[in-house]
């Protein structure tokens, strides 16, 4: 493996460069997203205004495609303007609908405030915020750098909070109802080699449960979705020796895909989800009852027959 495209990690594991062109490409194609069967009627989200962070790829991109196909007015944001533009153009070609894009980072609270204000100005309001943006890398916790720890916490916990708070403040100001869906992770039994994101995602889950009560008087609902092993382009950050075992971490022994999560988002955003509040919807094939994912590759100490 090209040393220039990898980073050393403890225990003999390798953290690959996700931009390495030799890495396998994974996830659903734009054609898949444009034509994939859905259980929902075509106008389910007609007129619904939805913002999806990290909407340029992966689960966020799938959610944006499905929301547009169901008639929603969609806005997506992320750090990479080119990636957002590609997704916008693909959705326009597939659905004929326009998508608002905004290049920004959720780590910046002022940028979050400006984004929420801009969407209200352009769309005339906002109904659902999907906090999908996030990031992490596989590494043993004892070897986290301070910078690496802070980067993951700042994105996955603080960034999610800035978006939640700014959306809620605007809904309180206008008196309009609102809904937040936070994409988190399967944290019930910890996340070896991903302790930073486990800490951040667990914080988001219990933050969401708390403000789901506090903000109920404003008619604001907050829910979380906890994906398990979902195959997307994000698999590029994991070594192949880890990826070949990921499906063993759930009793179905398969990987989910971004459409599984997109349809869950559509359900919660639709009128069918109106009485769901402060909850965590886990989409993991039963992983919480079965196995543990080792995203950096399973250490020899834990390598048992049948374990993931």
């Amino acid at each position: 493996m090209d040393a220039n495209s990898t980073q050393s990690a403890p225990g003999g594991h390798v953290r690959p460069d996700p931009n390495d062109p030799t890495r396998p490409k994974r996830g659903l194609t734009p054609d898949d997203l444009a034509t994939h069967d859905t259980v929902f009627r075509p106008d389910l989200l007609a007129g619904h205004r939805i913002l999806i962070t990290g909407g340029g790829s992966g689960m966020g991109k799938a959610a944006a495609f499905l929301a547009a196909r169901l008639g929603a007015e969609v806005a997506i944001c992320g750090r990479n303007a080119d990636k957002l533009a590609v997704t916008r153009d693909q959705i326009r070609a597939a659905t004929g609908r326009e998508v608002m894009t905004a290049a920004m980072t959720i780590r910046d609270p002022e940028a979050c405030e400006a984004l929420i204000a801009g969407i209200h100005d352009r769309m005339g309001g906002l109904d659902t915020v999907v906090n999908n943006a996030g990031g992490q890398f596989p590494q043993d916790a004892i070897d986290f750098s301070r910078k690496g720890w802070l980067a993951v916490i700042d994105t996955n916990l603080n960034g999610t909070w800035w978006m939640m708070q700014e959306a809620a403040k605007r809904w309180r100001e206008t008196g309009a109802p609102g809904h937040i869906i936070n994409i988190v992770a399967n944290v019930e039994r910890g996340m070896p080699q991903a302790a930073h994101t486990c800490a951040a995602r667990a914080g988001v889950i219990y933050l969401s449960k708390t403000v789901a009560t506090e903000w109920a008087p404003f008619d604001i609902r907050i829910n979380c979705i906890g994906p398990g092993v979902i195959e997307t382009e994000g698999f590029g950050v994991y070594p192949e020796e880890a990826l070949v075992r990921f499906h063993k971490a759930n009793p179905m022994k398969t990987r989910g895909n971004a459409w599984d999560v997109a349809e869950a988002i559509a359900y919660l955003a639709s009128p069918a989800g109106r009485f769901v509040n402060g909850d965590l919807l886990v989409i993991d094939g039963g992983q919480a009852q079965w196995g543990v994912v080792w995203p950096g590759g399973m250490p020899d100490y834990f390598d048992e027959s049948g374990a993931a």
Side-chain angles (χ1 to χ4, degrees), residues 151-278:
V152 172
I153 296 297
D154 202 20
T155 300
N156 295 352
L157 177 58
N158 294 340
T160 298
W161 170 244
W162 300 133
M163 292 297 301
M164 291 173 67
Q165 187 184 40
E166 289 304 327
K169 284 160 64 175
R170 182 56 69 102
W171 286 323
R172 181 182 63 176
E173 176 185 324
T174 62
H179 181 215
I180 297 170
I181 301 171
N182 293 321
I183 308 302
V184 288
N186 197 330
V187 302
E188 290 89 343
R189 293 188 292 129
M191 297 176 68
Q193 297 175 332
H196 40 19
T197 199
C198 186
R201 307 299 193 177
V204 170
I205 291 169
Y206 285 93
L207 169 64
S208 300
K209 289 180 177 291
T210 299
V211 297
T213 299
E214 280 193 23
W215 296 350
F218 307 124
D219 201 8
I220 299 171
R221 292 185 299 120
I222 302 95
N223 290 292
C224 295
I225 293 175
V229 175
I230 304 295
E231 187 169 278
T232 71
E233 307 94 306
F235 269 28
V237 303
Y238 304 119
E240 291 300 320
E241 62 268 26
L243 291 176
V244 297
R245 306 184 71 130
F246 274 11
H247 67 285
K248 296 183 180 181
N250 66 75
M252 296 178 70
K253 295 192 175 181
T254 189
R255 298 168 177 170
N257 61 44
W259 203 253
D260 297 318
V261 178
E263 292 215 304
I265 291 169
Y267 159 69
L268 288 174
S270 78
R274 70 173 190 86
F275 202 48
V276 184
N277 189 33

Side-chain angles (χ1 to χ4, degrees), residues 1 16 51 94 131 134 167 198 239 260 301:
M1 187 174 288
L51 164 64
N131 282 311
C198 186
D260 297 318
Y301 180 88

Side-chain angles (χ1 to χ4, degrees), residues 12-126:
H13 307 311
V14 172
R15 189 163 80 228
D17 178 357
N19 297 314
D20 179 357
T22 68
R23 295 280 295 169
K25 304 301 180 185
R26 291 180 165 85
L28 299 174
T29 67
D31 285 342
D32 293 331
L33 296 174
T35 61
H36 203 299
D37 287 342
T38 178
V39 300
F40 300 117
R41 69 175 192 263
D43 64 345
L44 180 69
L45 297 179
H48 195 90
R49 298 157 298 190
I50 186 168
L51 164 64
I52 302 167
T53 70
S57 61
M59 294 182 290
K61 182 173 183 175
F65 256 87
L66 180 55
R69 285 176 53 183
L70 299 180
E73 297 180 50
V74 179
I76 58 175
C77 68
R79 290 181 297 176
N80 188 316
D82 292 339
K83 188 181 293 186
L84 294 171
V86 168
T87 296
R88 176 200 63 205
D89 294 346
Q90 291 170 344
I91 292 175
R92 181 195 295 132
T95 69
R97 302 188 65 83
E98 292 297 328
V99 172
M100 176 180 171
T101 66
M104 50 83 72
T105 173
I106 61 172
R107 293 188 192 183
D108 181 348
E110 284 75 25
C112 295
E113 181 179 10
L115 174 64
I116 295 296
I119 290 173
H120 277 264
D121 290 344
R122 180 165 167 179
M123 292 185 171
L126 179 61

